[in-house]
Amino acid sequence: MTNSALESVGKFCKNLKDFRLVLLDKKEQVTDLPLDNGVMALLLGCQKLRRFGFYLRPGGLTDIGLGYIGKFSSNVRWMILGYLGETDFGLLEFSKGCPNLEKLELRGCCFSEYALSVAVLSLRSLKYIWVQGYNATPTGFDLLAMERPFWNIEFTPAFQVTVDGFNLEEEITEKPAQILAYYSLAGRRTDHPDSVIPLTLSSWNRQRQHVYEYCQRQHVYEY
């Protein structure tokens, strides 16, 4: 995958409404990274895009490229991004655009909880966001900056699981922290598993203790 390949898609696929790219880790060498200019050309050329998926690897897109996605995705309503950007600045630049974005999924990102909260508040059409793997805190406290009426915030701390590895030997794998936030007129759900902590300012003290006990059981964080 190269910048010129993405530029060609933007030039010759003007009516494209759904584009998804996954850059596999199995490919050892990809010489044309980052793909900032390519993604800009693609989005400028494909103005009819409604669904956009861009799942790369670390170094695949800089903060500038992430800003391009926000600036030139005026009609996109659903988006999934993986391993994009370098700092919180890229996410904040991204959130200045995407005026019609309703559903956003982020995976393997480097962003802080506070930056994610600011971005959510900036994306005025956003109804749903799911984040898996980010610069999480043990309690998810900074996510409360995005709290608003009818907006549910669910935080799952990182935890460890034991799986069968090669030669049937047990291996310990860490599952990254997750965020699920969404609008709901029905209120907060009550059927979530114990690993999920609903976040609200009014119940912070109780949930702080819940997070502490859960993290202690999982032996993940020194609280």
Side-chain angles (χ1 to χ4, degrees), residues 76-130:
V76 176
R77 298 182 180 274
W78 174 93
M79 189 178 294
I80 177 171
L81 304 176
Y83 296 96
L84 303 186
E86 302 164 300
T87 66
D88 286 349
F89 175 78
L91 178 63
L92 298 179
E93 287 297 301
F94 164 82
S95 67
K96 293 177 181 178
C98 299
N100 293 301
L101 186 62
E102 298 179 355
K103 183 177 181 180
L104 175 63
E105 298 183 11
L106 298 172
R107 299 179 185 177
C109 58
C110 60
F111 312 126
S112 68
E113 290 176 348
Y114 186 73
L116 287 165
S117 297
V118 172
V120 165
L121 296 176
S122 299
L123 295 165
R124 59 181 183 270
S125 297
L126 195 66
K127 299 178 181 178
Y128 170 101
I129 182 172
W130 177 59

Side-chain angles (χ1 to χ4, degrees), residues 139-141 143-148 150-155 187-188 197-208:
T139 62
F141 177 77
L143 297 173
L144 290 171
M146 70 170 75
E147 189 181 45
R148 48 190 163 175
F150 306 110
W151 184 251
N152 295 346
I153 309 169
E154 300 178 2
F155 169 65
R188 305 186 184 281
I197 299 102
L199 295 178
T200 61
L201 283 172
S202 59
S203 61
W204 168 243
N205 288 331
R206 176 173 57 83
Q207 294 183 13
R208 182 175 183 272

